[in-house]
Amino acid sequence: MAASAPSPDGGVELVFEIRDERYLFTTLSSELNAEVVARQIVQRSDNDLLEFFTVADADPEAVTAFAAEFPGIERVRTIPRADDELLVEVVVSGPCLGAAIADAGAVARDAVAVDGIATVTVDVPPGVAPRAVYDAIEERHEVSRLVSKRQQSAAGIVPVSDVDRLLDPLTDKQLRALKVALAGGYYDWPRQSTATECAEALGVSQPTFSQHLRRAESKLLTAVFEAATRSSIDRDAQPELENLSS
């Protein structure tokens, strides 16, 4: 990959193909002949990574046994879901692909592995050099190659200002609790994860997790309804403005 300067405007999308056996998704998809799809990554307060991913048509015991023996995996929990899909929750300690991408200043948007080949899509934001992301991934997984690089137009990116406004009141701990609860099936019916299980995944006590989650929910709902109220007021005021201008 040729040297590149920090990307302007909308950033850059990089798509990598990874065949390295040191990447859990690659090896797991090959050994169990199953599709592996990344769902969520959360950085814990102890700097370990909590990863959620799904495995299709796989035996829970086989997945647990394989992941538990994989280097860097400290904890494994499987959650059966509908349509023979298995949600897997792992705590990763030490170097890993997700951490390498984040440390380079980018975001892993998608990761899917089939038959021992993982396709990882990375969003490189404006101000970050794509070369730095490429080097970070290559250093971590030598058996990888860049399959596409696409400049993203700023005009083509969905504005995130509204989302940022809703999430801005949340602390890092509250946002982590909310992400884990959502990814782990805490809000599913029937519930797939208890507050205790979510707390264990984050490495905190159950009362601490519940406190962070309730405050996150309260702040988020308050922000949503305040935004809805402002929108309603704006809509009600619009006909009056039109009458005044006519």
Side-chain angles (χ1 to χ4, degrees):
M1 181 178 179
S4 58
S7 56
D9 302 325
V12 172
E13 175 194 86
L14 303 177
V15 179
F16 293 87
E17 183 181 276
I18 300 176
R19 298 171 181 259
D20 195 341
E21 293 182 352
R22 294 179 302 166
Y23 183 36
L24 175 61
F25 284 16
T26 297
T27 309
L28 186 60
S29 70
S30 176
E31 290 293 324
L32 300 184
N33 191 30
E35 180 184 61
V36 182
V37 181
R39 297 301 180 188
Q40 183 64 271
I41 298 179
V42 180
Q43 185 168 30
R44 306 195 330 168
S45 57
D46 59 6
N47 290 325
D48 284 348
L49 285 185
L50 176 61
E51 295 191 16
F52 293 89
F53 58 90
T54 54
V55 184
D57 300 317
D59 176 50
E61 292 185 2
V63 173
T64 299
F66 184 88
E69 295 297 323
F70 201 82
I73 302 298
E74 297 293 327
R75 180 179 182 273
V76 183
R77 186 169 75 98
T78 57
I79 307 169
R81 308 193 84 171
D83 301 324
D84 295 322
E85 184 180 75
L86 188 69
L87 178 66
V88 185
E89 169 193 292
V90 298
V91 175
V92 185
S93 178
C96 67
L97 180 63
I101 293 172
D103 289 345
V107 178
R109 189 199 330 146
D110 298 304
V112 180
V114 180
D115 296 330
I117 302 174
T119 301
V120 181
T121 303
V122 180
D123 288 331
V124 183
V128 174
R131 178 74 204 200
V133 180
Y134 175 86
D135 289 344
I137 292 177
E138 187 178 52
E139 181 179 353
R140 176 61 191 161
H141 296 291
E142 295 180 357
V143 189
S144 64
R145 70 185 183 94
L146 179 67
V147 296
S148 74
K149 175 184 176 182
R150 184 172 67 90
Q151 190 74 40
Q152 296 175 321
S153 169
I157 295 179
V158 177
V160 295
S161 57
D162 290 341
V163 176
D164 289 340
R165 254 195 307 274
L166 293 175
L167 297 179
D168 188 59
L170 277 61
T171 66
D172 289 343
K173 292 179 180 179
Q174 291 164 0
L175 185 57
R176 278 198 292 265
L178 196 59
K179 285 182 175 180
V180 170
L182 189 60
Y186 179 82
Y187 292 113
D188 290 356
W189 184 262
R191 182 167 284 175
Q192 300 296 311
S193 295
T194 65
T196 298
E197 290 168 331
C198 290
E200 290 175 351
L202 276 173
V204 299
S205 68
Q206 183 272 318
T208 297
F209 167 78
S210 295
Q211 180 188 62
H212 292 324
L213 183 62
R214 296 306 178 211
R215 288 182 175 176
E217 292 169 341
S218 177
K219 289 180 178 180
L220 186 58
L221 288 172
T222 298
V224 168
F225 285 113
E226 285 180 348
T229 299
R230 287 194 298 269
S231 178
S232 177
I233 292 173
D234 290 343
R235 286 198 303 270
D236 292 342
Q238 189 63 34
E240 296 183 10
L241 292 175
E242 292 176 352
N243 291 334
L244 288 173
S245 62
S246 60

